[in-house]
Amino acid sequence: MRISQYLLATVKETPADAEIISHKLMIRAGLVRKLASGLYNWLPLGLKVLNNIEKIVREEMNKSGAMEVLMPIVQHAELWHESDRWEQMGEELLRFKDRHSRDFCLGPTHEEVITDLVRGEYTSYKQLPAIFYQIQTKFRDERRPRFGVMRAREFIMKDAYSFHINEESLQNTYEQMYQTYYNIFQRLGLNFRSVVADSGSIGGNTSHEFHVLADSGEDEIVFSTKGDYAANIELAVGNLAIKNSSEARKDSEIVNTGSEHSVEAVAGLLNIGVYKIIKTLIVHGEDEEGNISDELIALLLRGDQELNEIKAQKLQGVASPLKFASDELITKKIGCGVGCLGPSNLKLRKIADHSVENLFNFTCGANQPGKHITNMNWSEGCAYDEVADIRKVQENDYSLDGGGILSVKRGIEVGHIFQLGKKYSDALNATVLDSGGKAVTMLMGCYGIGVSRLVAASIEQNHDQKGIVWPENIAPFQLIIVQIDAHKSRQVADLSDSTYEKCIEMGIEVLMDDRDKKTSPGVKFAESELIGIPHRLVISSRSLAEDAVEYTHRQHGEKQKVKTNDLIQFLVKLLSS
Amino acid sequence: MRISQYLLATVKETPADAEIISHKLMIRAGLVRKLASGLYNWLPLGLKVLNNIEKIVREEMNKSGAMEVLMPIVQHAELWHESDRWEQMGEELLRFKDRHSRDFCLGPTHEEVITDLVRGEYTSYKQLPAIFYQIQTKFRDERRPRFGVMRAREFIMKDAYSFHINEESLQNTYEQMYQTYYNIFQRLGLNFRSVVADSGSIGGNTSHEFHVLADSGEDEIVFSTKGDYAANIELAVGNLAIKNSSEARKDSEIVNTGSEHSVEAVAGLLNIGVYKIIKTLIVHGEDEEGNISDELIALLLRGDQELNEIKAQKLQGVASPLKFASDELITKKIGCGVGCLGPSNLKLRKIADHSVENLFNFTCGANQPGKHITNMNWSEGCAYDEVADIRKVQENDYSLDGGGILSVKRGIEVGHIFQLGKKYSDALNATVLDSGGKAVTMLMGCYGIGVSRLVAASIEQNHDQKGIVWPENIAPFQLIIVQIDAHKSRQVADLSDSTYEKCIEMGIEVLMDDRDKKTSPGVKFAESELIGIPHRLVISSRSLAEDAVEYTHRQHGEKQKVKTNDLIQFLVKLLSS
């Protein structure tokens, strides 16, 4: 394309709501424009990147043997009633009525539709396994859309679903999809990690997330510096560095801590390490039907550790989602509020994290206002009922899989694969006949990639002070030709035109900056860098005086003079490598 | 793909609601499945066709210099208020509220969004013209979705919009888009016609429709057998064949016609030609603000002609949309009801179609119950106020552009281009600065193609008794290899496999029917014909006994033995031509 006939929508200002670099650069480079909250127009330059990513995803999915389908965005309520998600889903599921007052929703995901489709088409175990995918617009009515296309309401997703006669087949396809995802993110030029994940509201057992590493990521992921271990922070386990000490057991003593409530303040006041304090958190229990009850439960953690709510709410009898007790209720039941609580003489079910198991001479609240106990030790009057892992792992914890230590990084979730098992196929009664002629419920897997989010994730990893630095595989254009003062030099104009035409002939995606003298060379250079085209040729009278044009590599910044006679040869070599 | 690992979802039964052949065949061949009324799942085989069509549309649009963008499906109400269409649009516009109770709709078209985008990005006449397009899912909440994907609620459209500084530029782009559409439909292998069309509710002046000719089409299109003239029936004009006669003027006479009301019945009773009768239709007028008034207007047509309502409602002072007066109101104002009306002594504004202008010795209602006048002639007491073209043209009318006669055919509208003028840019105040630095409102064009509808339209034209006959450009697979009794013959299995692999290597889209002995050769043949793959190879022991395989061309049906040694050479020649 010639820029004179193209919408190069670069802008200087970044919008006030752009918090992260990819959002800022996507606006500044003219890739997208906000239409309304969480709704974006993809401009020509941005859509080319999106299409390039889609193409790679499609190629790899096809290679895996998955069959592409396209399901409707608008879905009728009946199927969602069958799976029970019509009521279960929150307001993210945008529900509405059609002209005949029938209930519909905008598809945030398609488990129900694909399961309905497959139960209608498949009859025999011989037809399995089968993998279907689509690349499609989804809608989730996020409460607070943010970060541009990273967490938009309308977005593009590749969602895939697999169907199986047994666990072994599901496991095989799951591994195959894992490998396919690996290939996709590799081809996209991303620095990513896969981690064991919680399967959350989608349901099922095994699950992995694929994260692009970036400081702006909303998730924390944990991995071993030596072994293969990698997990979402919600699931991650590790061993605490053990504080060895030859200290003898001392006698406990009640001390006044006045209005100091936080572990840091109490540690400061008593001049002890934070790790010598026990944090006591009070949460609600739940009854056998899963309803929140008024029974209170104490969770005990070492003062320097944080609670992992996901781990805690999975414990039997603990309310899920986790619900902290109000200060009022605690005071009423225990006699003092948050800040002075401790396990000593506490008449509640007490769950201790591993981190407090071997503590001694520790400090904890005395369950009296303004008082703590120092040099406490586990004993009959100060005991826990059970031990569990309810701690968030931390940087430098020991990995359970061997020699390594754990590293915690921020990640952007771009892929998620699940072994769903029979959650949906059971609900929708999706069966096939097995080899004995008996109807059996199919097993399912599902596999998602955030296609539009990948554009932003890629920018988070590929940018510098000047702007975006596209990996070649997804760049909107491979090459930009910048002509300088073509109005003054016939030779500049001619060589630019002929090189541009030749590139098009060779199938090179080329952008030509043919804007007139009102756009200064400085602006042209800056914009070519902002929009991140991997390769740049500058054609000017100055370089032509030496029979050469100037080539610059966007990523490495290295410049090179290329003789005009060698130019086409140079481009062929450059862009076919 | 190997059918053993593919969803070949052919079925014998056609659903009860399938009225037209394309709908029946799309279900039977397993291209789509209905999810709910007007909502369809595209199965793997159907989606391949849809993707092939999309690819051709995209290539030709890119070639025209149009820039691809992607706008949201979900649109906020504010823009639709600006254009006044939030209220104007009927229930086709599906409106709903998001979680914050703000008004949104599902985009049935994107004039508002693109105009908003362009007014924000373009500032100078120098940036124009600009053409944008997208290939996207649209939603129109049709009252009565029917004919499968032909009139679905959710469908895929290519919509394009152009922006201009003046009429000349708009006209140039319009012509360029006309040519682009011509190229697209040519490449799709369709028998189509472009016709002058009414621009309807979209607004604007000049407009053309592109119709695929098919008996199942919902539209009537008219074209000259000799000249270039072609128009939608709503706009079409033509000259009536003149009935010459040397008959002398006679004296009129009132006759009893009793309870006979229809022109056919009266003609029968009086033993005259239907064309000798004048039909008098009574419609409402409208006041200067465009509101329907109680003034009645008489429309006069020759008995053998039909009223074209679109033409009539465009006449000044006639209610638009056209509203026929009730029998009650007519009786009250004229003294007799429908069936005995006529122009004689009728105290209303009377508009005569050209078809009655030269009539003589005609018959018309006497404006008295049960009475007509025969041998009437135009005179002071029986006159019309004005003459207009309010007639639907008919097969064999003379074309106005010269020697030809008019032919009326049924068509499926697959494309529509409009010169919108300033309808949307005025409403949304979309201006740029002209060469004098003055803000001027841009002119717009818009250009649509029904991408998913094209799959059905193509089948309407390309099928036979056995099933679909895909044109090569959009066929889901180019070649199908049918192996017969591979379980009995190692040679059949090996040659099938090696040919299949070789095809994939050569980039040929190939489907291999590797189903086992439970699927009979007859079923395999029938299904390969039903799904319409252009080229078929049958590999069986019988033909291998002659060192050959059997090739069949789907469209022409001709069979040919190909020696196994020549097979690859044969395929290269066949599929690269």
Side-chain angles (χ1 to χ4, degrees):
Chain A
M1 298 293 301
R2 291 168 182 270
I3 291 183
S4 61
Q5 292 156 34
Y6 194 68
L7 176 55
L8 186 74
T10 53
V11 288
K12 289 223 174 59
E13 315 75 36
T14 53
D17 67 344
E19 299 168 46
I20 60 173
I21 189 68
S22 61
H23 188 185
K24 288 176 190 170
L25 285 173
M26 287 185 78
I27 301 293
R28 283 190 53 212
L31 305 186
V32 294
R33 283 294 182 268
K34 184 164 143 179
L35 176 65
S37 174
L39 302 175
Y40 285 86
N41 288 309
W42 287 83
L43 302 186
L45 201 66
L47 186 61
K48 282 182 84 94
V49 178
L50 190 65
N51 285 346
N52 289 342
I53 291 176
E54 269 193 36
K55 186 165 173 278
I56 289 173
V57 172
R58 180 172 282 116
E59 282 172 6
E60 294 297 326
M61 288 304 295
N62 289 345
K63 215 179 280 177
S64 81
M67 294 173 268
E68 190 177 2
V69 294
L70 185 62
M71 296 177 268
I73 296 170
V74 171
Q75 305 178 8
H76 56 309
E78 284 78 356
L79 285 179
W80 289 77
H81 285 305
E82 278 195 68
S83 71
D84 236 15
R85 286 209 292 182
W86 185 261
E87 297 299 338
Q88 277 170 24
M89 295 278 284
E91 289 188 90
E92 287 80 51
L93 183 67
L94 200 147
R95 302 160 176 91
F96 58 87
K97 289 183 188 293
D98 75 352
R99 65 188 297 161
H100 302 299
S101 290
R102 284 188 291 243
D103 284 319
F104 285 85
C105 64
L106 290 182
T109 174
H110 279 68
E111 281 83 8
E112 283 81 359
V113 178
I114 192 75
T115 307
D116 175 55
L117 181 65
V118 167
R119 72 177 166 185
E121 302 298 329
Y122 282 77
T123 53
S124 162
Y125 74 100
K126 285 192 193 168
Q127 298 168 292
L128 302 181
I131 316 171
F132 297 96
Y133 79 97
Q134 60 177 353
I135 298 176
Q136 194 211 29
T137 302
K138 301 273 189 260
F139 194 92
R140 288 182 193 167
D141 202 1
E142 296 275 353
R143 194 176 57 78
R144 193 180 148 230
R146 60 193 182 283
F147 305 146
V149 301
M150 193 81 91
R151 190 169 288 280
R153 296 201 283 177
E154 188 171 319
F155 57 98
I156 295 177
M157 197 168 142
K158 187 285 297 171
D159 46 328
Y161 307 90
S162 68
F163 294 83
H164 309 273
I165 187 70
N166 57 33
E167 288 283 354
E168 187 193 346
S169 166
L170 171 57
Q171 184 63 32
N172 286 342
T173 295
Y174 187 82
E175 282 163 22
Q176 186 189 353
M177 279 298 121
Y178 185 98
Q179 186 59 47
T180 298
Y181 275 41
Y182 190 90
N183 298 345
I184 289 170
F185 299 127
Q186 280 279 42
R187 281 186 65 187
L188 294 175
L190 294 166
N191 179 13
F192 68 97
R193 296 293 296 242
S194 68
V195 300
V196 175
D198 188 51
S199 47
S201 71
I202 295 273
N205 315 314
T206 310
S207 167
H208 281 86
E209 289 168 357
F210 289 79
H211 286 267
V212 167
L213 301 184
D215 291 339
S216 62
E218 289 189 87
D219 293 304
E220 281 181 301
I221 60 173
V222 178
F223 44 88
S224 164
T225 52
K226 278 192 184 163
D228 285 335
Y229 182 72
N232 185 307
I233 190 85
E234 296 171 348
L235 274 196
V237 292
N239 278 334
L240 264 178
I242 298 160
K243 317 266 182 192
N244 276 324
S245 166
S246 53
E247 206 179 309
R249 300 290 186 278
K250 299 185 183 163
D251 289 333
S252 66
E253 191 183 344
I254 294 189
V255 295
N256 286 317
T257 43
S259 59
E260 302 299 357
H261 281 179
S262 71
V263 284
E264 289 77 15
V266 171
L269 185 73
L270 302 177
N271 196 25
I272 53 173
V274 174
Y275 71 92
K276 281 290 228 182
I277 298 181
I278 286 185
K279 263 200 286 208
T280 305
L281 305 168
I282 310 291
V283 298
H284 282 263
E286 73 178 11
D287 63 21
E288 278 170 15
E289 275 93 54
N291 301 313
I292 289 178
S293 71
D294 264 355
E295 184 208 349
L296 297 186
I297 299 169
L299 306 176
L300 311 176
L301 282 142
R302 211 170 75 179
D304 60 342
Q305 301 300 315
E306 272 185 69
L307 178 70
N308 179 325
E309 299 188 15
I310 304 290
K311 287 182 183 174
Q313 74 194 19
K314 282 184 187 163
L315 297 175
Q316 188 160 16
V318 174
S320 172
L322 202 67
K323 188 184 176 194
F324 287 97
S326 68
D327 207 33
E328 197 188 342
L329 184 62
I330 293 172
T331 307
K332 189 177 142 202
K333 291 225 175 183
I334 302 176
C336 78
V338 170
C340 304
L341 299 172
S344 176
N345 288 315
L346 182 62
K347 303 277 179 293
L348 300 179
R349 174 179 170 201
K350 294 181 284 293
I351 303 171
D353 181 63
H354 291 292
S355 59
V356 303
E357 217 179 344
N358 298 311
L359 270 192
F360 58 91
N361 295 344
F362 52 80
T363 296
C364 58
N367 298 326
Q368 300 169 37
K371 297 201 190 298
H372 276 75
I373 310 176
T374 58
N375 293 320
M376 195 66 194
N377 284 287
W378 298 118
S379 61
E380 205 174 318
C382 179
Y384 43 80
D385 300 299
E386 58 209 282
V387 177
D389 177 14
I390 53 172
R391 182 180 71 89
K392 245 171 111 169
V393 299
Q394 294 184 333
E395 186 86 21
N396 295 327
D397 281 354
Y398 292 107
S399 175
L400 296 184
D401 74 343
I405 59 164
L406 295 182
S407 176
V408 181
K409 298 258 186 230
R410 300 203 75 84
I412 299 165
E413 185 192 326
V414 291
H416 203 160
I417 61 179
F418 299 88
Q419 292 191 19
L420 290 175
K422 297 184 178 177
K423 178 175 160 127
Y424 297 94
S425 45
D426 249 347
L428 275 77
N429 195 25
T431 62
V432 290
L433 299 181
D434 68 10
S435 57
K438 196 166 67 79
V440 290
T441 304
M442 288 179 268
L443 289 159
M444 289 174 60
C446 85
Y447 318 90
I449 288 181
V451 176
S452 44
R453 170 178 282 193
L454 274 167
V455 179
S458 177
I459 294 174
E460 289 290 332
Q461 280 192 344
N462 299 285
H463 66 271
D464 61 16
Q465 296 287 50
K466 296 169 179 173
I468 302 168
V469 185
W470 289 119
E472 305 219 3
N473 271 354
I474 63 171
F477 294 95
Q478 291 303 305
L479 175 70
I480 182 165
I481 300 173
V482 179
Q483 59 178 32
I484 305 293
D485 291 342
H487 63 290
K488 287 189 200 160
S489 160
R490 187 80 241 154
Q491 213 192 342
V492 168
D494 288 350
L495 184 64
S496 303
D497 280 346
S498 65
T499 309
Y500 174 73
E501 295 299 341
K502 187 75 195 166
C503 284
I504 287 182
E505 229 172 78
M506 295 192 296
I508 296 170
E509 286 285 337
V510 57
L511 185 65
M512 163 121 116
D513 196 342
D514 61 344
R515 285 177 292 179
D516 65 16
K517 59 184 174 181
K518 287 206 179 139
T519 308
S520 74
V523 167
K524 290 183 174 183
F525 295 153
E527 292 192 349
S528 77
E529 287 165 337
L530 173 61
I531 65 174
I533 310 303
H535 306 284
R536 182 175 78 190
L537 286 183
V538 177
I539 301 182
S540 67
S541 301
R542 203 167 64 181
S543 66
L544 285 185
E546 301 173 48
D547 264 342
V549 302
E550 187 192 76
Y551 163 80
T552 312
H553 187 272
R554 174 70 182 91
Q555 190 184 353
H556 310 128
E558 71 206 13
K559 284 181 175 19
Q560 181 179 347
K561 294 261 190 266
V562 181
K563 288 288 174 193
T564 52
N565 283 339
D566 304 335
L567 185 54
I568 299 305
Q569 196 54 37
F570 174 79
L571 290 176
V572 169
K573 208 175 144 195
L574 184 73
L575 296 169
S576 60
S577 68
Chain B
M1 297 294 300
R2 291 168 182 270
I3 290 183
S4 61
Q5 292 157 34
Y6 195 69
L7 176 54
L8 186 74
T10 54
V11 289
K12 289 225 173 59
E13 316 75 36
T14 53
D17 67 344
E19 300 168 45
I20 60 173
I21 189 69
S22 60
H23 188 184
K24 289 176 188 166
L25 286 173
M26 287 184 77
I27 300 294
R28 283 191 50 213
L31 306 185
V32 293
R33 283 295 182 268
K34 183 162 142 181
L35 176 67
S37 174
L39 301 177
Y40 285 86
N41 288 310
W42 287 83
L43 301 186
L45 201 66
L47 186 61
K48 281 183 83 96
V49 179
L50 189 65
N51 284 348
N52 289 341
I53 292 176
E54 268 192 37
K55 186 164 172 278
I56 289 174
V57 171
R58 180 172 281 115
E59 282 173 7
E60 294 297 324
M61 288 304 295
N62 288 346
K63 216 180 279 177
S64 80
M67 292 173 270
E68 189 177 2
V69 294
L70 185 62
M71 295 177 268
I73 295 170
V74 172
Q75 306 178 6
H76 55 309
E78 284 79 356
L79 285 179
W80 289 77
H81 284 305
E82 278 195 68
S83 72
D84 237 14
R85 288 209 291 182
W86 186 261
E87 297 299 338
Q88 278 170 23
M89 297 279 284
E91 290 189 272
E92 287 81 51
L93 183 68
L94 199 148
R95 302 161 176 91
F96 59 87
K97 289 184 189 294
D98 75 353
R99 66 188 296 161
H100 302 299
S101 291
R102 284 187 292 242
D103 285 319
F104 286 85
C105 65
L106 291 182
T109 173
H110 280 67
E111 282 82 10
E112 283 81 0
V113 178
I114 192 75
T115 307
D116 175 55
L117 181 65
V118 167
R119 72 177 164 182
E121 302 299 328
Y122 282 78
T123 52
S124 162
Y125 74 100
K126 286 192 192 167
Q127 297 169 294
L128 303 181
I131 316 172
F132 296 97
Y133 79 97
Q134 61 178 351
I135 298 176
Q136 194 209 29
T137 302
K138 301 272 189 262
F139 194 92
R140 288 182 194 166
D141 202 1
E142 297 275 354
R143 195 176 56 77
R144 195 180 147 229
R146 60 193 181 282
F147 305 146
V149 301
M150 192 81 91
R151 191 169 287 279
R153 296 201 284 177
E154 187 171 320
F155 57 98
I156 295 176
M157 197 169 142
K158 187 285 299 170
D159 47 328
Y161 307 90
S162 68
F163 293 83
H164 309 272
I165 186 71
N166 58 33
E167 288 283 354
E168 187 192 347
S169 166
L170 171 57
Q171 184 63 33
N172 285 344
T173 296
Y174 187 82
E175 282 163 22
Q176 186 190 352
M177 279 299 121
Y178 185 98
Q179 185 59 46
T180 298
Y181 275 41
Y182 190 89
N183 297 346
I184 289 170
F185 298 127
Q186 281 278 44
R187 280 186 64 186
L188 294 176
L190 294 165
N191 179 14
F192 68 98
R193 296 295 294 243
S194 68
V195 300
V196 175
D198 188 52
S199 47
S201 72
I202 295 273
N205 315 311
T206 310
S207 167
H208 281 85
E209 289 169 357
F210 289 79
H211 285 268
V212 167
L213 301 184
D215 291 339
S216 62
E218 290 189 86
D219 293 304
E220 281 181 301
I221 60 173
V222 177
F223 46 87
S224 164
T225 52
K226 280 192 183 164
D228 286 335
Y229 183 73
N232 186 306
I233 191 84
E234 295 172 348
L235 274 195
V237 292
N239 278 335
L240 263 178
I242 296 162
K243 315 267 180 190
N244 276 325
S245 167
S246 53
E247 206 179 310
R249 301 289 186 276
K250 300 186 182 164
D251 289 334
S252 67
E253 191 183 341
I254 293 190
V255 295
N256 285 317
T257 44
S259 61
E260 303 297 359
H261 281 179
S262 72
V263 285
E264 289 76 15
V266 171
L269 184 72
L270 302 178
N271 197 24
I272 52 174
V274 173
Y275 70 93
K276 281 291 227 183
I277 298 182
I278 286 184
K279 262 201 284 209
T280 305
L281 305 168
I282 311 291
V283 298
H284 281 265
E286 73 177 11
D287 64 21
E288 280 171 13
E289 276 93 52
N291 301 313
I292 289 178
S293 72
D294 264 356
E295 183 207 349
L296 298 186
I297 299 169
L299 306 176
L300 311 176
L301 281 141
R302 212 170 76 179
D304 59 344
Q305 301 300 315
E306 271 184 69
L307 179 69
N308 178 325
E309 299 188 16
I310 303 290
K311 287 181 182 174
Q313 74 193 21
K314 282 185 186 163
L315 297 176
Q316 187 159 18
V318 173
S320 171
L322 201 67
K323 188 184 175 191
F324 288 97
S326 69
D327 207 35
E328 197 187 342
L329 185 63
I330 294 171
T331 307
K332 188 177 141 200
K333 290 224 178 184
I334 302 175
C336 79
V338 170
C340 303
L341 299 171
S344 175
N345 286 316
L346 182 62
K347 302 277 178 292
L348 298 180
R349 175 181 169 199
K350 294 182 283 295
I351 303 171
D353 181 64
H354 292 293
S355 59
V356 303
E357 216 179 344
N358 298 312
L359 272 192
F360 58 91
N361 295 346
F362 54 78
T363 294
C364 58
N367 299 326
Q368 298 168 36
K371 295 199 188 299
H372 276 75
I373 310 174
T374 58
N375 291 323
M376 194 66 193
N377 283 288
W378 298 118
S379 62
E380 207 173 321
C382 179
Y384 43 80
D385 300 298
E386 60 209 281
V387 176
D389 176 13
I390 54 173
R391 181 180 73 88
K392 245 172 111 169
V393 299
Q394 294 184 334
E395 186 84 21
N396 294 328
D397 281 354
Y398 292 108
S399 175
L400 296 184
D401 74 343
I405 60 163
L406 294 183
S407 177
V408 181
K409 298 258 186 230
R410 300 204 75 84
I412 300 165
E413 186 191 328
V414 290
H416 203 160
I417 60 178
F418 300 88
Q419 292 190 17
L420 291 175
K422 298 183 177 177
K423 177 173 160 129
Y424 297 93
S425 44
D426 249 347
L428 275 76
N429 195 26
T431 62
V432 288
L433 298 181
D434 68 9
S435 58
K438 197 165 67 78
V440 290
T441 304
M442 287 179 269
L443 290 159
M444 288 173 62
C446 86
Y447 318 90
I449 288 182
V451 176
S452 44
R453 170 178 283 193
L454 273 167
V455 178
S458 177
I459 294 174
E460 289 291 330
Q461 280 192 344
N462 299 286
H463 67 270
D464 61 15
Q465 297 287 52
K466 296 170 178 171
I468 301 168
V469 186
W470 289 118
E472 306 219 2
N473 271 353
I474 63 172
F477 294 95
Q478 292 302 306
L479 174 71
I480 182 165
I481 299 173
V482 179
Q483 59 179 29
I484 306 292
D485 290 343
H487 61 289
K488 287 189 200 160
S489 159
R490 187 81 240 155
Q491 213 192 344
V492 167
D494 287 350
L495 184 63
S496 303
D497 280 347
S498 65
T499 309
Y500 173 75
E501 296 298 340
K502 187 75 196 167
C503 283
I504 287 182
E505 229 172 79
M506 294 194 294
I508 295 170
E509 286 285 340
V510 57
L511 186 65
M512 162 121 115
D513 196 341
D514 60 343
R515 286 178 290 180
D516 65 17
K517 58 183 173 180
K518 287 206 178 140
T519 307
S520 74
V523 167
K524 289 183 174 184
F525 296 152
E527 292 192 349
S528 78
E529 288 164 337
L530 173 61
I531 65 174
I533 310 302
H535 306 284
R536 182 176 78 191
L537 286 183
V538 177
I539 301 182
S540 67
S541 301
R542 202 167 63 183
S543 66
L544 285 185
E546 300 173 48
D547 263 342
V549 302
E550 188 192 74
Y551 164 79
T552 312
H553 188 272
R554 174 68 182 93
Q555 189 183 354
H556 310 129
E558 72 206 14
K559 285 184 175 16
Q560 181 178 346
K561 294 261 189 266
V562 181
K563 287 288 173 193
T564 52
N565 283 338
D566 304 333
L567 185 54
I568 298 305
Q569 195 55 36
F570 173 81
L571 291 176
V572 169
K573 208 176 144 196
L574 184 72
L575 296 169
S576 61
S577 68

